[in-house]
Amino acid sequence: MVRGISSGCFAQAAERHSTALSFSLLSAGYVLYLLLGAGIFSAIELPYEERLRQDLKQVRQEFLDQNECVSDARLEELLARAIEASNYGVSVLGNQTEPNNWDFVSALFFTSTVLTTTGYGHTVPLSDGGKAFCVLYSLVGIPITLLFLSAVVQRLMVVVTRRPVAYFHRRWGVSRARLAAAHAACLAALAAVFLLFVPAAVFVAVERDWSFLEALYFCFISLSTIGLGDYVPGENDPEGAHAHGQLYRLAITVYLLLGLVCVLVVLETCCELPQLRGIKQRFYWDGGRDPDSETTNIIDSDHLTQEAVSAAAAAAGDSPGPGPVPASIPSVSEQAASLRRHGNNVNVNLNRSLATTPYTPAANSDAVNGFFS
């Protein structure tokens, strides 16, 4: 008996601490993943950066040698001004035909990248008033955008995911888990084709200097809201804007917004998979769990009982208004608590009696045996 109780307590303690152990392993794995990514990026990009730095130094020295009238200090000043202007989205290359960064369509493209937290960084507010307004605009706009995207995704989930899975579950009799997994795989494949590969092919045809890998890289970085800003459509065109530059920017804005909604639908579909729910529960904290459904129902029934009794007493004229339940009528929660305490006391007394009292056969055991024989 003692061994069974000890093993049960050990099993409960192990189950209680399993989520903490799983979360610790998850945290350690995430830190290791960060370190691994940093090591790989450093190994790949550091040699390229050093080579580019040496090339720039060589080009600069060749320019000074060929133009002796230009001093090193004046060239340094010019380069510093050009880099500062480039950081604000103004390029010194082809300024006579460069499109304006703050016309209405370009500003609309900027607001969409700000509110979706993509933030390419190629165009930024230049004035102090613009920077202050950007902060206030983002404080109000980002929560509204999150609310809007959540509402859109919730409505689309009913049509795109939940109804098809329920329909095929009733029609074919296949388990919901398998149907949901197959449905999520199909959605992910369609999203990859129509949100990444097809737009990448379009960007390759429109942008002159982009390869297919660079276009695919831009699509993924944009729709995942990373927004590094190293590739922005329409920026590398020194001979002038596209023939339909305004329409081109507007089409990119629509693509980013609709693509982000589709990506969120795919992610939400994957998160609702029963397989992933079981995995997520292994890392969640049990201590913050809400009361179970039985306790919640008891509390709700208790409140309804108190309101009904108070209303009946007020109608009969026994009390001037709503008040507490009379002491003679115990609440539902009090009855449930009393039953739990009584059950615990009975279990404790039974365990004590079984552990301390030796077994002795009853005097009339023969009569009992004869009755059942």
Side-chain angles (χ1 to χ4, degrees):
M1 177 66 66
V2 175
R3 183 178 301 175
I5 295 176
S6 301
S7 62
C9 294
F10 179 76
Q12 292 178 359
E15 182 179 0
R16 187 164 50 250
H17 293 85
S18 61
T19 56
L21 179 60
S22 299
F23 179 75
S24 300
L25 293 177
L26 177 64
S27 302
Y30 184 73
V31 172
L32 290 177
Y33 190 74
L34 289 176
L35 298 177
L36 178 63
I40 294 177
F41 277 118
S42 179
I44 295 175
E45 297 296 331
L46 187 58
Y48 184 82
E49 179 189 6
E50 294 294 336
R51 186 167 61 252
L52 180 61
R53 194 185 304 274
Q54 294 298 327
D55 293 341
L56 288 177
K57 289 182 179 179
Q58 182 179 357
V59 171
R60 175 177 176 175
Q61 188 61 39
E62 291 177 356
F63 177 82
L64 291 176
D65 294 340
Q66 295 174 2
N67 301 272
E68 297 179 356
C69 60
V70 179
S71 64
D72 191 11
R74 296 290 294 173
L75 180 60
E76 185 76 19
E77 182 181 356
L78 175 62
L79 293 177
R81 293 290 301 274
I83 293 174
E84 182 181 2
S86 179
N87 292 333
Y88 284 98
V90 179
S91 176
V92 297
L93 301 176
N95 278 331
Q96 68 276 8
T97 56
E98 184 180 5
N100 196 334
N101 289 328
W102 290 105
D103 54 46
F104 182 77
V105 177
S106 299
L108 180 62
F109 180 74
F110 171 76
T111 54
S112 66
T113 60
V114 169
L115 295 184
T116 57
T117 67
T118 303
Y120 290 116
H122 69 293
T123 301
V124 294
L126 304 177
S127 63
D128 293 339
K131 295 174 183 177
F133 178 73
C134 183
V135 172
L136 297 177
Y137 184 76
S138 302
L139 285 176
V140 178
I142 291 177
I144 295 177
T145 303
L146 294 177
L147 177 62
F148 170 73
L149 292 177
S150 299
V152 172
V153 170
Q154 191 273 335
R155 291 175 179 271
L156 290 178
M157 283 291 295
V158 176
V159 179
V160 176
T161 298
R162 293 172 185 147
R163 286 182 181 175
V165 172
Y167 172 76
F168 288 111
H169 172 68
R170 292 192 304 266
R171 183 176 181 85
W172 294 346
V174 184
S175 65
R176 283 182 174 269
R178 293 183 178 180
L179 280 176
H183 181 72
C186 292
L187 281 183
L190 292 175
V193 171
F194 291 102
L195 297 180
L196 295 179
F197 294 104
V198 173
V202 173
F203 283 124
V204 169
V206 175
E207 299 292 332
R208 300 180 180 180
D209 300 331
W210 286 18
S211 64
F212 184 79
L213 177 61
E214 292 171 339
L216 185 64
Y217 167 81
F218 164 77
C219 294
F220 178 81
I221 293 298
S222 300
L223 295 182
S224 59
T225 68
I226 298 175
L228 296 178
D230 48 351
Y231 288 91
V232 179
E235 293 296 315
N236 298 324
D237 192 6
E239 297 182 359
H242 296 279
H244 305 282
Q246 302 292 330
L247 184 60
Y248 183 57
R249 281 290 183 94
L250 184 61
I252 294 173
T253 303
V254 174
Y255 159 71
L256 293 177
L257 292 176
L258 294 181
L260 180 59
V261 170
C262 295
V263 169
L264 291 176
V265 169
V266 174
L267 292 178
E268 185 67 20
T269 301
C270 295
C271 290
E272 288 190 356
L273 291 177
Q275 298 86 342
L276 289 183
R277 286 182 180 179
I279 295 176
K280 290 188 298 183
Q281 291 299 326
R282 297 180 58 183
F283 304 106
Y284 287 172
W285 181 44
D286 293 337
R289 185 178 298 173
D290 295 335
D292 55 6
S293 58
E294 180 181 357
T295 306
T296 305
N297 293 333
I298 290 176
I299 294 174
D300 293 339
S301 300
D302 187 10
H303 291 168
L304 292 176
T305 303
Q306 291 180 0
E307 293 176 0
V309 173
S310 299
D318 295 338
S319 61
V325 181
S328 59
I329 304 177
S331 63
V332 178
S333 59
E334 292 177 353
Q335 296 179 24
S338 176
L339 289 175
R340 290 195 184 97
R341 288 195 299 268
H342 179 69
N344 292 333
N345 293 332
V346 171
N347 292 331
V348 171
N349 295 331
L350 181 59
N351 292 332
R352 289 179 178 176
S353 62
L354 291 175
T356 57
T357 305
Y359 171 75
T360 55
N364 56 348
S365 59
D366 294 335
V368 176
N369 295 331
F371 176 79
F372 287 100
S373 60

